Amino acid sequence: MNAAIPLQRAAPEREPSYYTATIGIETDYPTLEGEHRADVAIIGGGFTGVATALELAERGLSVALVETHKIGWGASGRNGGQITGSLSGDAAMRKQMRATLGDDVDDFIWWLRWRGHDIIRTRVARYGIDCDLRNGHLHAAMKPSHLRELEASYAEAQRRGMGEEVELLDRAALRTHLDSDLYSGALKNLRNMHVHPLNLCIGEARAAHGLGTSIFEHSEVIDIVHGATPTIVTTKGRIRANQVLLAGDVYHRLARTQLSGKIFPAMGGLVATEPLGDLALQINPQQLAVYDCRFVLDYYRPTADGRLLFGGGANYSGHSSRDVAAELLPCIEETFPKLKGVRIDYQWTCAMGIVVNRIPQLGKLSDNVWYCQGYSGHGVATSHIMGEIMAEAITGTLGHFDTFAACRHVRVPMGDLIGNPLLAAGMWYYQMLEHLR
Ligand SMILES: Cc1cc2nc3c(=O)[nH]c(=O)nc-3n(C[C@H](O)[C@H](O)[C@H](O)COP(=O)(O)OP(=O)(O)OC[C@H]3O[C@@H](n4cnc5c(N)ncnc54)[C@H](O)[C@@H]3O)c2cc1C
């Protein structure tokens, strides 16, 4: 069978993936040259930077966004595309945020679970973004302890009025949703969604641009000059702004004095199979996205052109030299025996920013220079919530920002050097615990 025919050819500097092969509209923003002025300058053209830019542009501010490579080049354009209410760090958030929010903490966390879904759905509709957005997700259990966790999630969803949007499936019911013997049950959630993330990110950037945001690609910010009007500096240009947001997640090397040792790269690998034809509906008739309940989990979803896009086994050493297809094909075959020997058309890796306590890190580097990073593998919805929170903060409403900024984070001394081995040891520990659950 043939690989997908690109609607437009992706720029060669993008890491090749299923997403670049099916890119809707390639971006072509200029390199930053000369002196510029903006209300807000944003560093990083992933979801965090783009979502914040769009929020600010909708509020009437002049925004300039600067990206080293291309819009959506990082994790935002290479991820699993799952938009779920599973927040990373929710247990730690609940513990820490009780100090600032008191008894409202549970309501706040519940709101956080779903706010990103609303933002994405609204934007896709408002700006007509073509990104294969679709509802439906399964959180799949592999053993009884997982099922008990899902029962608790289901009970909370019912208490909070989700009604028929969620359904608890036992093994037999799950078998009618997935042609797999791997799972003992699942929580089906029709509010959760899946998406072509690169096309979403590019679509949102185009929307921001349409509202007047200046976007620069091929422009790495090499310095932030702090002061009354902070300035971001590239080799060929500068932008003087009233405020700056650093949204480079794990890819930036700025502000090491304040930020080193706070966030670490884990490498995730993904593959997309050949188009599956009739098999696509046989193995997953409702075309749901799926992930399982393990600490280091497998996640997959059908693509609009009938492939299985499958990810798993994040690598916490921080290195990406892996044969992703060789690693993931056995997992695909174990999950869906009917796919034995399926051809892998695309494989790729990407770094995600991992934070030790898994709470997103929001803060300030100086009076008018902000940062926002670290969604620990759950960033599609979260980055959109954070974009809203950062836009609120930058325009003077600090409530939600302060709640996050007050959270304490572990900072690993010499973290840029030894952080990843420590993280790998930590994940090994969690994988051991997984066996005991
Ligand atoms: C393999 C993988 C699978 C994932 N799957 C899912 C999933 O299914 N669901 C989910 O919710 N989350 C998932 N995630 C996580 C999610 O993709 C990320 O949390 C989210 O995209 C982070 O967005 P971001 O904008 O903060 O960072 P990024 O998308 O990484 O963007 C940061 C950008 O900043 C730019 N930049 C860095 N430094 C500079 C500089 N100095 N100057 C200019 N630009 C700079 C980079 O080039 C980059 O484009 C996954 C992540 C990975 C890696």
Side-chain angles (χ1 to χ4, degrees):
M1 278 173 261
N2 291 327
I5 298 163
L7 302 176
Q8 255 199 1
R9 195 160 292 284
E13 70 190 274
R14 292 193 186 276
E15 299 288 321
S17 71
Y18 165 75
Y19 295 125
T20 57
T22 51
I23 196 166
I25 301 171
E26 181 53 286
T27 56
D28 188 20
Y29 297 110
T31 303
L32 178 68
E33 288 181 9
E35 301 279 332
H36 297 255
R37 185 75 174 87
D39 291 334
V40 183
I42 297 179
I43 304 166
F47 282 134
T48 304
V50 169
T52 311
L54 184 46
E55 282 285 344
L56 290 168
E58 285 174 344
R59 290 163 198 237
L61 277 80
S62 77
V63 182
L65 184 146
V66 182
E67 162 60 43
T68 302
H69 304 280
K70 303 285 291 177
I71 292 295
W73 174 89
S76 300
R78 286 189 253 172
N79 62 58
Q82 304 208 7
I83 301 170
T84 72
S86 304
L87 290 172
S88 78
D90 51 354
M93 274 186 223
R94 188 167 282 117
K95 216 164 151 189
Q96 290 213 33
M97 290 179 177
R98 199 168 284 285
T100 39
L101 296 176
D103 289 342
D104 291 338
V105 69
D106 291 328
D107 289 348
F108 179 63
I109 289 176
W110 184 255
W111 174 81
L112 281 177
R113 287 192 192 290
W114 308 111
R115 180 64 195 145
H117 295 55
D118 292 342
I119 296 171
I120 293 169
R121 221 182 356 250
T122 306
R123 292 228 172 112
V124 166
R126 181 180 300 155
Y127 298 109
I129 301 172
D130 190 358
C131 58
D132 308 333
L133 185 67
R134 159 167 205 149
N135 283 73
H137 185 265
L138 292 171
H139 195 178
M142 302 183 83
K143 52 186 174 182
S145 61
H146 293 167
L147 266 182
R148 286 193 291 279
E149 288 164 18
L150 296 182
E151 281 161 9
S153 302
Y154 175 75
E156 181 175 22
Q158 289 307 320
R159 256 197 335 271
R160 301 249 179 203
M162 281 185 75
E164 290 179 358
E165 278 185 301
V166 289
E167 186 183 353
L168 212 46
L169 306 177
D170 62 15
R171 182 185 287 276
L174 179 59
R175 223 31 188 87
T176 66
H177 290 73
L178 289 180
D179 189 9
S180 175
D181 279 330
L182 213 53
Y183 309 113
S184 43
L187 184 62
K188 180 177 177 184
N189 184 318
L190 297 179
R191 191 180 293 184
N192 285 338
M193 304 183 282
H194 54 102
V195 73
H196 189 305
L198 178 59
N199 285 343
L200 173 62
C201 194
I202 288 174
E204 291 182 290
R206 284 166 57 83
H209 191 245
L211 294 175
T213 296
S214 310
I215 300 181
F216 302 96
E217 297 183 312
H218 319 288
S219 305
E220 181 181 8
V221 173
I222 50 175
D223 195 16
I224 304 171
V225 183
H226 296 264
T229 48
T231 302
I232 63 174
V233 181
T234 67
T235 49
K236 293 186 181 163
R238 303 158 66 89
I239 302 173
R240 200 155 60 84
N242 299 333
Q243 319 212 42
V244 167
L245 169 65
L246 174 53
D249 202 58
V250 78
Y251 281 102
H252 76 82
R253 281 288 161 270
L254 295 159
R256 299 328 290 156
T257 318
Q258 288 127 304
L259 297 182
S260 77
K262 292 191 85 170
I263 181 172
F264 304 99
M267 298 307 297
L270 283 152
V271 297
T273 66
E274 62 187 311
L276 298 176
D278 294 345
L279 266 179
L281 285 177
Q282 282 177 37
I283 61 167
N284 185 351
Q286 296 185 24
Q287 299 287 280
L288 304 168
V290 183
Y291 55 55
D292 67 57
C293 293
R294 291 171 301 178
F295 286 120
V296 179
L297 46 86
D298 286 346
Y299 51 99
Y300 51 90
R301 67 182 188 87
T303 63
D305 60 355
R307 302 164 191 273
L308 179 69
L309 190 147
F310 194 104
N315 164 355
Y316 292 85
S317 71
H319 302 298
S320 71
S321 55
R322 301 187 300 155
D323 184 349
V324 180
E327 281 173 28
L328 293 183
L329 184 56
C331 305
I332 292 175
E333 292 175 340
E334 191 192 5
T335 310
F336 297 113
K338 278 195 181 140
L339 297 189
K340 193 154 185 53
V342 71
R343 195 181 71 223
I344 302 295
D345 279 350
Y346 305 101
Q347 59 171 306
W348 65 99
T349 61
C350 188
M352 62 187 96
I354 303 285
V355 170
V356 172
N357 65 12
R358 308 230 158 194
I359 303 177
Q361 294 174 339
L362 278 57
K364 279 181 144 190
L365 298 171
S366 59
D367 277 351
N368 41 20
V369 178
W370 314 71
Y371 67 91
C372 177
Q373 62 184 24
Y375 316 129
S376 305
H378 291 269
V380 179
T382 312
S383 54
H384 286 78
I385 308 164
M386 296 306 144
E388 184 177 69
I389 292 177
M390 293 314 302
E392 279 172 1
I394 286 169
T395 52
T397 305
L398 287 166
H400 291 146
F401 171 84
D402 283 345
T403 301
F404 276 95
C407 291
R408 293 177 309 283
H409 285 277
V410 174
R411 191 161 175 209
V412 178
M414 295 191 298
D416 286 351
L417 291 176
I418 61 166
N420 268 96
L422 281 181
L423 186 66
M427 288 315 294
W428 177 82
Y429 171 74
Y430 277 113
Q431 281 174 279
M432 288 297 104
L433 285 187
E434 176 68 56
H435 289 295
L436 302 174
R437 281 214 283 173

